[in-house]
Amino acid sequence: MFPKSQKISKKSPIFKEKSGFFGLYNRITIKNSLNLKAKIAIVVSKKVLNKAVDRNRLKRIIYHYLRPKNKDISNKEIVIFIKGPIPEKPSVLLEDIEKTLINALKKAK
């Protein structure tokens, strides 16, 4: 998990933006930030996964996957919205997130 200082508040205006970069299983919204470290939020709705245990597990997997990429995404606020249906293997979802994130970072610069 990322420390609390690297998480985005629910009151942030980035959540109200409807545009973003779409992947097969996700939508990523990126905004430049004045902070030196990246701020990240992951949103998994109840419609996608019913149980809170499953939603939290998926978020932990994604946070763990993004931790080594923290240096590549500095000075950004990133919100990852997970769309359903979720693939059975988390690796497929993580590959899709990585492809979408790479495209988003290229176009955001």
Side-chain angles (χ1 to χ4, degrees):
M1 297 291 275
F2 283 90
K4 191 173 183 178
S5 64
Q6 286 186 269
K7 292 187 180 179
I8 300 175
S9 165
K10 291 180 183 178
K11 297 177 184 178
S12 177
I14 195 168
F15 285 104
K16 294 181 181 177
E17 292 183 19
K18 298 297 180 191
S19 64
F21 301 92
F22 293 87
L24 191 59
Y25 302 107
N26 62 59
R27 184 185 88 196
I28 295 179
T29 304
I30 293 183
K31 185 178 177 183
N32 288 329
S33 174
L34 299 175
N35 295 330
L36 296 176
K37 295 182 178 180
K39 287 193 164 203
I40 297 176
I42 299 171
V43 179
V44 182
S45 81
K46 213 174 186 181
K47 291 179 182 178
V48 175
L49 290 172
N50 289 335
K51 294 182 181 179
V53 174
D54 296 334
R55 289 192 302 271
N56 292 334
R57 182 175 183 275
L58 183 61
K59 288 179 192 180
R60 281 195 305 272
I61 290 170
I62 295 170
Y63 277 124
H64 182 73
Y65 181 73
L66 292 176
R67 183 172 271 235
K69 297 170 184 6
N70 198 8
K71 293 178 185 175
D72 298 336
I73 56 176
S74 61
N75 298 335
K76 305 271 189 234
E77 286 186 1
I78 300 171
V79 180
I80 300 173
F81 297 92
I82 304 299
K83 303 186 298 185
I86 300 293
E88 291 186 23
K89 293 183 180 180
S91 61
V92 175
L93 177 65
L94 295 175
E95 287 174 11
D96 184 46
I97 289 173
E98 183 175 10
K99 287 178 187 176
T100 310
L101 187 60
I102 289 170
N103 289 336
L105 289 172
K106 285 180 184 176
K107 292 180 182 178
K109 291 182 181 179

